[in-house]
Amino acid sequence: MTGAASRDGYGAALLDLAEDERVVVLEADLGKSTKSCLFRSEHPQRTFSMGIAEQNMMLVAAGLASTGMIPFASTFAIFTERGFEQVRNGIARPGLVAHICGSHGGIHTGTDGSSAQSIEDLAIYRTLPNMTVMHPCDASSTRALTKALVNHGSASYTRTVRNKTRQIYTDEEAAKLKIGEFSVLTEGSDVAILACGVMVQEALDAAETLAGEGVHATVVDVHTLKPFDHDEMKRISESCGAVVTAEDHSIIGGLGGAVAESLTAHHPVPLERVGVKDTYGMSGQPAELMEHYGLTANDIVDAAKTAIRRRNV
Amino acid sequence: MSDDTPEFTEKSVDELVDIARSCRREIVKMVKRANAGHPGGSLSVIDLIVGLYGRTLRVSSTEPKHPGRDRLILSKGHASPAMYAALHAFGFLDETDLHSYRMFNGICQGHVDSKWTPGVDFSGGSLGMGLSFGLGVAISGRLTGRDHHSWVILGDGECQEGEIWEAAMAASHHRLENVNVIVDVNGIQNDDFVDQQMVMGDLSAKWAAFGWKVRDMNGHDMTEIAEAIEWSKTTVGPCVILARTTKGKGVSFMENNPSFHGKAPDDEEFKLAMEELA
């Protein structure tokens, strides 16, 4: 079933949180795109346009957070990166609790082309101490996890996507998700597929194909890349013995990087990374691009078979 | 913690002149002990910081995190010795705390840091960020009804950072009244004179063009400083004070000398500096 886009979940969550008067929304001329416009239309007095000026927006968020307010600042994922050093030195380093949302993440963004397709955001934010990094897979989980940020004790970066994706969770299921904990969608003992964002639907499709061939996969929605759920990672790698990661992000430093770090420290097993292979995107329809860059269920199936073969050598 | 604003006790101009003089001594001693740091910009800004504590800042040394406190945001965070000397003079730090400047695990970090030092509200060290932070505090004040003011101190070289002008635009767009800026216009930045590195042109016209009320003053005359602070508080803003200062003020061989932006004096120079500041 095609649902909403995860950015719609972000907008809905801001409205859900509106009764908490500490919540302040900051925009950088992309509120209609990130969906913070939903909050603006109901609560204009608590929504502040910062113009096309992301660096300033990050430190305004820091200043608000220093007084106990709970700022939510959003723009395209790629443009949050312009303020990366501001997030590093101005928000995360002093331990301020401000929440950044980057929409339009990944190749899936489509026709806007490579300048708008952030494929490195998860990697760079993951390097910051005091920073939670999330990339939920659908609108329901984005809504639930964004709502949970209001009681979260550290700064965060959440990536959402532009286009509609399949609904993975009901609202009731999404409400049970916890920041920092893997969400296991299917259990199998032959291979584990860890996915985030738009690749979760591809991972589920891949698992179905594999099941038809007698290969049973565990599929995990890694909605939180940091803090990383090392305990669950260890359990799953022990039970499956072969791991595939799937992300609409560079294979360097994002989910693939996080899983590689965890596996090498706790339980090394063969790992295959499906993702953007150290290259930039281009214009095209999302489906065309996902095919071109090797981000489909079929690519995950192939990677799973490779990982299993490597385990059995 | 109470939710109102801390009490304020005003000091006379004469008292503040004396305090600034003793702060200058502490600044040079800190940099000498650490054998590193930024004496030039600390000596140019110290009168401004002392003026703010003595004439307007409603802060509490016994309750440094008081929610209703005014904020002094030292955006040019490398002038941390000036901040620490003033925090000592106004009861936030002990004399022994000053000995920790730039030392391992010391509460007086190389650049001002809100996680380490009581009375420091903003973590600096990366230029261009303090005014934006001040706007965030100011917006919070508007939303919560708290009557706190943010006083942001920038350097003139720092005004080369684009974020300063992003913030300047945003302050006037949102008509923020409870944030005030003082620019320490000492004419020197890390590598050389500002005019050699990047000509800033008419700073007054630049700020005015961004919608700010501008006042020029001598940044080492405590009477002028007190008057400018009063002007800033009573003028419909946002307001910026351009403080014309001398880098290294008070130590002859450091004055207007780019090489003392970020260098400690040697033993002989230190002795001479202490004599001049006696």
Side-chain angles (χ1 to χ4, degrees):
Chain A
M1 186 180 90
T2 300
S6 56
R7 59 180 170 138
D8 297 313
Y10 177 73
L14 294 182
L15 273 183
D16 294 337
L17 293 173
E19 66 185 44
D20 187 328
E21 294 197 343
R22 297 171 300 169
V23 171
V24 183
V25 167
L26 303 177
E27 299 178 331
D29 197 37
L30 285 170
K32 287 187 205 162
S33 301
T34 68
K35 295 300 171 187
S36 63
C37 60
L38 300 176
F39 186 93
R40 169 180 287 283
S41 62
E42 300 284 321
H43 305 281
Q45 75 289 357
R46 269 193 286 149
T47 309
F48 291 85
S49 165
M50 291 294 123
I52 309 169
E54 297 78 12
Q55 302 172 50
N56 180 52
M57 179 169 74
M58 298 307 181
L59 263 294
V60 170
L64 281 160
S66 79
T67 68
M69 306 299 271
I70 306 176
F72 285 82
S74 66
T75 179
F76 281 6
I78 194 79
F79 303 138
T80 69
E81 294 172 29
R82 181 183 297 237
F84 176 73
E85 197 249 342
Q86 277 76 5
V87 176
R88 192 268 187 199
N89 266 328
I91 295 175
R93 181 175 65 105
L96 297 170
V97 183
H99 303 297
I100 316 294
C101 175
S103 74
H104 293 55
I107 297 283
H108 198 259
T109 299
T111 60
D112 275 339
S114 57
S115 67
Q117 297 163 344
S118 173
I119 50 166
E120 61 285 320
D121 53 336
L122 302 174
I124 63 173
Y125 289 112
R126 215 167 60 75
T127 62
L128 298 181
N130 299 336
M131 198 78 185
T132 290
V133 180
M134 300 199 292
H135 184 22
C137 65
D138 70 358
S140 300
S141 55
T142 303
R143 183 175 182 172
L145 291 163
T146 303
K147 278 172 69 174
L149 286 175
V150 81
N151 295 314
H152 192 62
S154 80
S156 71
Y157 172 77
T158 301
R159 182 211 261 198
T160 62
V161 300
R162 176 185 188 279
N163 296 307
K164 292 176 180 175
T165 53
R166 194 184 310 166
Q167 184 174 353
I168 306 295
Y169 300 101
T170 64
D171 287 343
E172 293 71 34
E173 289 165 341
K176 293 179 188 145
L177 298 175
K178 290 202 164 59
I179 295 170
E181 290 185 12
F182 279 5
S183 169
V184 178
L185 299 175
T186 67
E187 289 263 18
S189 56
D190 295 325
V191 64
I193 305 169
L194 283 79
C196 59
V198 300
M199 294 304 284
V200 171
Q201 58 187 6
E202 303 296 325
L204 288 168
D205 289 348
E208 210 170 295
T209 302
L210 288 166
E213 300 177 23
V215 176
H216 300 287
T218 288
V219 175
V220 182
D221 168 21
V222 187
H223 50 73
T224 309
L225 284 84
K226 189 183 183 186
F228 190 79
D229 193 344
H230 292 286
D231 291 343
E232 193 66 349
M233 182 74 255
K234 183 164 183 285
R235 182 187 73 77
I236 289 166
S237 59
E238 282 171 354
S239 68
C240 294
V243 175
V244 173
T245 56
E247 60 195 310
D248 182 1
H249 181 278
S250 173
I251 55 170
I252 299 170
L255 177 60
V259 169
E261 290 159 17
S262 187
L263 288 180
T264 50
H266 302 296
H267 188 76
V269 297
L271 166 67
E272 291 292 317
R273 292 169 296 153
V274 172
V276 181
K277 293 171 184 63
D278 199 21
T279 185
Y280 291 103
M282 61 180 171
S283 291
Q285 292 302 319
E288 295 173 314
L289 294 167
M290 302 302 268
E291 180 84 33
H292 178 81
Y293 289 99
L295 304 173
T296 67
N298 283 338
D299 296 297
I300 297 172
V301 169
D302 291 345
K305 288 175 180 172
T306 304
I308 291 167
R309 207 162 43 238
R310 287 173 56 202
R311 177 191 63 202
N312 295 341
V313 166
Chain B
M1 274 197 281
S2 56
D3 224 33
D4 51 1
T5 305
E7 279 183 30
F8 172 69
T9 312
E10 185 172 284
K11 290 197 184 306
S12 72
V13 164
D14 288 344
E15 284 175 294
L16 296 178
V17 168
D18 287 344
I19 290 171
R21 170 161 287 264
S22 81
C23 283
R24 282 195 159 82
R25 293 173 59 82
E26 294 303 329
I27 288 167
V28 176
K29 279 155 61 178
M30 268 183 267
V31 173
K32 179 60 182 162
R33 274 191 299 261
N35 196 28
H38 297 86
S42 298
L43 292 169
S44 68
V45 80
I46 186 62
D47 297 308
L48 307 172
I49 293 177
V50 167
L52 285 170
Y53 277 105
R55 300 300 285 198
T56 193
L57 291 178
R58 296 161 297 174
V59 291
S60 166
S61 61
T62 55
E63 204 181 320
K65 295 287 184 193
H66 192 299
R69 71 194 182 280
D70 290 335
R71 269 76 166 179
L72 195 172
I73 296 160
L74 186 63
S75 192
K76 45 171 284 181
H78 56 281
S80 53
M83 186 82 188
Y84 302 143
L87 286 172
H88 168 51
F90 288 88
F92 289 77
L93 295 176
D94 294 331
E95 204 266 336
T96 52
D97 294 328
L98 303 184
H99 291 250
S100 79
Y101 171 62
R102 285 184 178 255
M103 301 300 174
F104 174 73
N105 214 23
I107 72 164
C108 292
Q109 292 282 297
H111 293 75
V112 290
D113 195 312
S114 60
K115 282 186 81 131
W116 286 83
T117 317
V120 171
D121 286 317
F122 169 74
S123 294
S126 177
L127 294 173
M129 299 190 189
L131 179 51
S132 308
F133 186 93
L135 302 192
V137 175
I139 289 171
S140 175
R142 173 183 290 180
L143 292 173
T144 59
R146 286 196 184 116
D147 175 38
H148 50 61
H149 281 244
S150 297
W151 294 85
V152 182
I153 300 181
L154 308 174
D156 53 348
E158 182 180 15
C159 291
Q160 291 160 6
E161 288 281 5
E163 187 183 343
I164 295 293
W165 303 102
E166 293 182 359
M169 263 187 289
S172 48
H173 177 81
H174 291 291
R175 296 187 171 81
L176 294 171
E177 293 292 330
N178 48 355
V179 58
N180 303 281
V181 170
I182 305 179
V183 187
D184 174 15
V185 187
N186 62 32
I188 294 174
Q189 56 193 97
N190 186 70
D191 277 4
D192 204 342
F193 290 94
V194 171
D195 283 348
Q196 295 297 318
Q197 293 302 108
M198 183 58 63
V199 174
M200 296 304 293
D202 187 343
L203 265 184
S204 176
K206 280 189 167 72
W207 282 96
F210 280 77
W212 288 62
K213 303 276 174 53
V214 188
R215 179 172 172 133
D216 251 277
M217 70 165 185
N218 175 348
H220 297 304
D221 182 318
M222 201 55 82
T223 302
E224 278 196 45
I225 292 170
E227 286 169 1
I229 289 170
E230 195 54 32
W231 166 82
S232 194
K233 286 164 66 176
T234 54
T235 303
V236 175
C239 294
V240 56
I241 299 166
L242 301 180
R244 307 293 170 176
T245 60
T246 301
K247 194 122 173 179
K249 177 73 175 177
V251 179
S252 58
F253 58 89
M254 290 187 184
E255 285 192 3
N256 213 28
N257 180 355
S259 68
F260 277 99
H261 169 86
K263 188 181 83 166
D266 64 24
D267 289 346
E268 209 144 298
E269 289 166 338
F270 176 70
K271 193 162 161 276
L272 180 56
M274 285 298 106
E275 284 167 16
E276 291 184 7
L277 294 171

